[in-house]
Amino acid sequence: MKALDELTFDNRFARLGDAFSTHVLPEPLDAPRLVAASTAAMALLDLDPAVTETPVFAELFGGHKLWAEAEPRAMVYSGHQFGGYTPQLGDGRGLLLAEVYNAAGEHWDLHLKGAGQTPYSRMGDGRAVLRSSIREFLASEALHALGIPSSRALCVIGSDTPVWREKQERGAMVLRMAPSHIRFGHFEYFYYTKKPEQQALLAEHVLNLHYPECREQPEPYLAMFREIVERNAELIAKWQAYGFCHGVMNTDNMSILGITFDFGPFAFLDDFDAHFICNHSDHEGRYSFSNQVPIGQWNLSALAQALTPFISVDALKEALGLYLPLYQANYLDLMRRRLGLTTAEEDDQKLVERLLKLMQNSAVDYTLFFRRLGNESAALAVAKLRDDFVDMAGFDAWAELYKARVERDGDSSEEQRRERMHAVNPLYILRNYLAQNAITAAESGDYSEVRRLHEVLSKPFEEQPGMEQYAQRPPDWGKHLEISCSS
Ligand code: AMP
Ligand code: MG
């Protein structure tokens, strides 16, 4: 276990030089204080959980202090935002503070979000407000606990620093961690600004550090792109299977590692709704829940375009062609498991689609349905669940197919079925209204709810005594909370 001054640094991205990032110091927050910290994320750095109790913790992650070995940099990138190309973006309010490695030799970027203005801030103030910082903290750790690849969050630091959004709020910082903060948009930036040397350096950097196994392939860059396609197909299959809506799938928010990245107006579905749009600035629904699947491919095509200096167009097209079949296979595999099935049949896709349509029409809670389906035998479970459906006859017809399918799946005791299904069907997810309750308390200085919610969500599959209130459908006020980009 390490103290905060015992980390081992290796700032590889900073060494790429000034064409890639700019040295900027964090702007300290007034009266920084710990809102919440993740011991699981701290463990990734071998940090002793007791370090949160030292005053230097909030000073470090509130922008007051820096390690001597840190090299804070604002990264430059660009990207396609809502389908249109924005030639220059970059870390407008976040800094890559340093890169550290742990005892197992794993590398982690430490990125401080809300750290003040940078050359890429455009008209922005460089700040993040408390509510969005809490949301990012909770979501990163909750997704990880669900088994969905994501950037991680070490802590949230609150402050007295005034920040103006629609009203006056308080500034905060999140310490984000990921093996890399390189986005699709990094490649696009060097491609569209016609800087082939830097682009080659970037590609080598990503290949060597993050896809070293592709070096062994006859065409390493193509192998790397294929791997990126595969990881995105797997990631988005998980989002769809678990009802996660990212909200702003611009190419500057897509990680080159295929992890969930850059949280804004995200949401987990309460009621199943394929057309759900979580970002109320997304008028066209470009990033609606079901559109995430084709948008994943669109984003990969944008990356492919930026990789044309390294890979032939035919090979890129072929690799892109892997996305949809892989997505479908992964998604179906997850949904089979959510239904408690252990074998595959031709018509399983239809069984899933039919169920989702029924859930959509009756606004059935997506998470609780699957959890309750696993509570007992298929016959008993569907008999109880039918009350949630308006079209009961429709549900009954589905239930007959399901029961027959479970029968064909093979013998398993009720006990085995419950265990298997509860291991993949969470009881607790980060519902918008739960996040809102925690935020409201935190805005008046009480951080206990953020911490409790974080704790509950760290074991989403385990029933936790006394925590029933976190496994409920939203109350009326919490059903249609509007979440905007202004965070
Ligand atoms: P996002 O929608 O959070 O992914 O941000 C899109 C771009 O706007 C990124 O380049 C951000 O760094 C930048 N940005 C967002 N909010 C701010 C802010 N408050 N101040 C400066 N830049 C910002
Ligand atoms: Mg972003």
Side-chain angles (χ1 to χ4, degrees):
M1 286 290 181
K2 288 182 180 172
L4 281 165
D5 57 1
E6 291 173 333
L7 295 175
T8 312
F9 295 83
D10 183 10
N11 304 317
R12 306 171 304 186
F13 193 86
R15 286 201 293 276
L16 287 176
D18 291 341
F20 296 84
S21 63
T22 307
H23 175 78
V24 181
L25 288 172
E27 265 175 60
L29 290 171
D30 301 335
R33 53 217 177 232
L34 178 65
V35 174
S38 164
T39 44
M42 282 195 281
L44 298 170
L45 305 181
D46 310 316
L47 281 176
D48 184 340
V51 299
T52 56
E53 287 153 32
T54 59
V56 72
F57 190 85
E59 287 168 358
L60 263 175
F61 302 122
H64 285 255
K65 284 205 167 132
L66 262 186
W67 296 275
E69 304 92 328
E71 290 181 68
R73 312 284 299 192
M75 299 165 119
V76 61
Y77 49 82
S78 64
H80 280 84
Q81 299 188 306
F82 289 91
Y85 186 64
T86 307
Q88 198 192 307
L89 292 161
D91 291 334
R93 55 163 166 175
L95 296 173
L96 178 60
L97 282 188
E99 294 174 59
V100 301
Y101 55 92
N102 64 18
E106 293 159 347
H107 230 97
W108 290 98
D109 280 5
L110 305 186
H111 178 101
L112 195 59
K113 189 163 173 179
Q117 286 178 317
T118 78
Y120 315 110
S121 298
R122 297 183 291 170
M123 306 303 280
D125 58 9
R127 290 301 189 193
V129 292
L130 183 62
R131 68 186 148 86
S132 69
S133 306
I134 289 174
R135 279 169 51 83
E136 172 150 0
F137 172 79
L138 291 173
S140 320
E141 293 303 284
L143 282 167
H144 171 74
L146 285 170
I148 302 178
S150 174
S151 59
R152 304 293 301 272
L154 187 86
C155 63
V156 184
I157 303 296
S159 78
D160 287 344
T161 303
V163 174
W164 188 259
R165 292 294 180 260
E166 280 94 10
K167 56 182 185 354
Q168 187 177 301
E169 300 189 41
R170 299 268 174 81
M173 293 187 189
V174 182
L175 195 282
R176 178 163 72 195
M177 291 166 47
S180 169
H181 275 66
I182 297 174
R183 307 146 189 262
F184 289 12
H186 276 88
F187 284 91
E188 293 181 282
Y189 175 76
F190 293 107
Y191 173 74
Y192 288 105
T193 53
K194 302 196 169 55
K195 293 182 177 155
E197 276 169 33
Q198 278 95 348
Q199 210 198 6
L201 264 175
L202 179 73
E204 279 297 291
H205 180 88
V206 174
L207 184 68
N208 288 337
L209 301 183
H210 304 294
Y211 293 94
E213 65 288 351
C214 296
R215 271 260 171 256
E216 316 303 318
Q217 301 292 318
E219 286 188 67
Y221 288 135
L222 175 59
M224 176 166 83
F225 181 65
R226 259 203 216 111
E227 178 77 22
I228 295 169
V229 170
E230 285 172 16
R231 288 194 194 182
N232 274 275
E234 286 166 22
L235 176 71
I236 294 170
K238 287 186 174 157
W239 289 357
Q240 302 310 114
Y242 284 98
F244 179 76
C245 203
H246 180 285
V248 199
M249 286 174 72
N250 293 336
T251 57
D252 52 301
N253 292 337
M254 300 301 289
S255 157
I256 204 72
L257 302 181
I259 61 176
T260 317
F261 194 68
D262 245 19
F263 297 86
F266 69 86
F268 279 88
L269 297 182
D270 290 306
D271 298 345
F272 181 78
D273 179 5
H275 315 298
F276 182 68
I277 302 166
C278 59
N279 177 0
H280 89 137
S281 322
D282 181 8
H283 306 293
E284 251 107 81
R286 179 180 173 86
Y287 301 135
S288 73
F289 181 64
S290 57
N291 268 1
Q292 297 191 123
V293 182
I295 288 291
Q297 182 154 22
W298 195 96
N299 287 342
L300 286 162
S301 314
L303 175 62
Q305 180 65 44
L307 293 176
T308 48
F310 307 112
I311 309 167
S312 78
V313 171
D314 284 346
L316 284 165
K317 278 190 182 156
E318 201 184 311
L320 277 171
L322 298 172
Y323 173 81
L324 213 52
L326 250 177
Y327 161 79
Q328 277 159 345
N330 275 287
Y331 175 74
L332 191 55
D333 179 55
L334 286 166
M335 294 309 284
R336 278 194 187 105
R337 294 207 272 152
R338 296 206 73 179
L339 287 169
L341 302 173
T342 59
T343 57
E345 278 189 15
E346 187 99 9
D347 280 346
D348 290 344
Q349 174 85 29
K350 283 192 199 130
L351 192 71
V352 171
E353 281 167 9
R354 211 163 144 171
L355 172 64
L356 294 183
K357 201 166 223 167
L358 287 159
M359 289 174 94
Q360 169 101 29
N361 293 342
S362 296
V364 171
D365 190 90
Y366 189 54
T367 301
L368 291 179
F369 176 87
F370 287 101
R371 185 71 181 191
R372 289 169 59 199
L373 190 66
N375 273 345
E376 47 223 324
S377 72
L380 276 175
V382 292
K384 288 191 187 163
L385 284 162
R386 84 188 283 271
D387 290 346
D388 291 350
F389 290 81
V390 179
D391 176 8
M392 284 190 176
F395 181 72
D396 289 343
W398 180 85
E400 287 311 310
L401 292 175
Y402 175 63
K403 283 187 286 182
R405 177 67 184 85
V406 168
E407 188 83 10
R408 290 195 302 280
D409 196 61
D411 265 350
S412 63
S413 70
E414 206 175 304
E415 198 61 35
Q416 287 168 328
R417 174 181 156 87
R418 184 185 305 119
E419 202 171 299
R420 185 170 73 232
M421 289 182 71
H422 284 4
V424 292
N425 292 324
L427 182 57
Y428 311 102
I429 54 153
L430 180 56
R431 296 175 187 274
N432 256 339
Y433 87 96
L434 293 174
Q436 191 52 51
N437 281 338
I439 288 165
T440 305
E443 284 178 339
S444 60
D446 174 4
Y447 304 137
S448 61
E449 189 55 25
V450 179
R451 295 175 188 184
R452 198 173 314 119
L453 185 54
H454 163 66
E455 188 65 32
V456 170
L457 296 171
S458 70
K459 288 173 278 186
F461 302 104
E462 258 176 58
E463 195 163 335
Q464 299 167 45
M467 297 297 165
E468 295 76 17
Q469 72 272 30
Y470 295 99
Q472 307 291 331
R473 302 186 68 176
D476 280 343
W477 69 264
K479 277 186 183 154
H480 300 288
L481 295 171
E482 290 203 333
I483 310 291
S484 72
C485 268
S486 74
S487 53

